[in-house]
Amino acid sequence: MTETIAGVAVPDTKLVQEATDLVREATDPVLYHHSRRVFLFGSLKARHRGLTPDPELAYVGAMFHDLGLTTRYGRTDQRFEVDGADLAREFLLDHGRTPAEARAVWLAIALHTTPGIVEHLEPEVSVVTLGVETDVLGFDLDEITPEERAAVVAAHERPNFKDNILRRFTDGMKDRPDTTFGTMNDDVLAHFQPGFVRSDFVQIIRGSVWPD
């Protein structure tokens, strides 16, 4: 039976169920419910903007986008976004989706903390960032009715979410601080990780091996 929240249908497919099970097993309630809200809010905003992303691809993008913050799937040699993107691509290919579809979801996850890019790409790419910007940053809430917002939060509550998500970000990135260079992620470590020093783009240029 198809689950519907705030008018958004969660696809009732084997792929979606297996994605849900994988994320449930790997995450805690904070990241699980956040990821579900990202799918729901992203879908609502996509509808408002006239976008029609593939629901299965949108779901996997939303559900896998923070898996790189988990102890099970997080690495220390690359950005956490790429951890989740790689897992999603492999998952989709294993479930029969095309390389192009898997690449779209890879981009959706890899770019979800990089502003100004995804809105120029396919709906399957932009829908994840739309959901993240809504749930984490509160951007453009006027595109979602109060009734829709209440229905999403009733299904997936967000108690003390601001502090909780900042802690998950810090824990997921503190062992790979160099990967935050050039991203908004270094803001998190600058606030919460003692001893963290940001890399400075201007200093890197001035200190390069070039003589001029």
Side-chain angles (χ1 to χ4, degrees), residues 11-81:
D12 184 17
T13 65
K14 183 173 182 287
L15 183 152
V16 163
Q17 184 58 58
E18 292 185 5
T20 303
D21 292 344
L22 184 153
V23 175
R24 272 191 184 278
E25 291 174 6
T27 62
D28 63 8
V30 173
L31 289 181
Y32 174 75
H33 290 293
H34 164 57
S35 298
R36 290 272 292 191
R37 292 194 303 271
V38 166
F39 168 71
L40 295 166
F41 285 141
S43 298
L44 287 167
K45 277 193 173 176
R47 181 184 301 168
H48 178 84
R49 298 184 185 194
L51 305 175
T52 54
D54 179 295
E56 279 192 335
L57 300 183
Y59 189 83
V60 171
M63 295 302 289
F64 280 55
H65 84 279
D66 274 345
L67 284 180
L69 298 175
T70 66
T71 55
R72 179 173 298 190
Y73 294 114
R75 295 167 49 169
T76 59
D77 61 331
Q78 62 184 13
R79 287 173 57 167
F80 86 87
E81 302 95 328

Side-chain angles (χ1 to χ4, degrees), residues 123-160:
E124 290 77 15
V125 180
S126 60
V127 67
V128 174
T129 294
L130 289 175
V132 170
E133 289 180 343
T134 304
D135 199 46
V136 178
L137 304 174
F139 286 177
D140 300 318
L141 282 176
D142 59 313
E143 296 182 16
I144 299 171
T145 69
E147 294 77 17
E148 290 168 337
R149 192 188 321 167
V152 171
V153 174
H156 296 286
E157 296 182 351
R158 37 174 295 154
N160 199 30

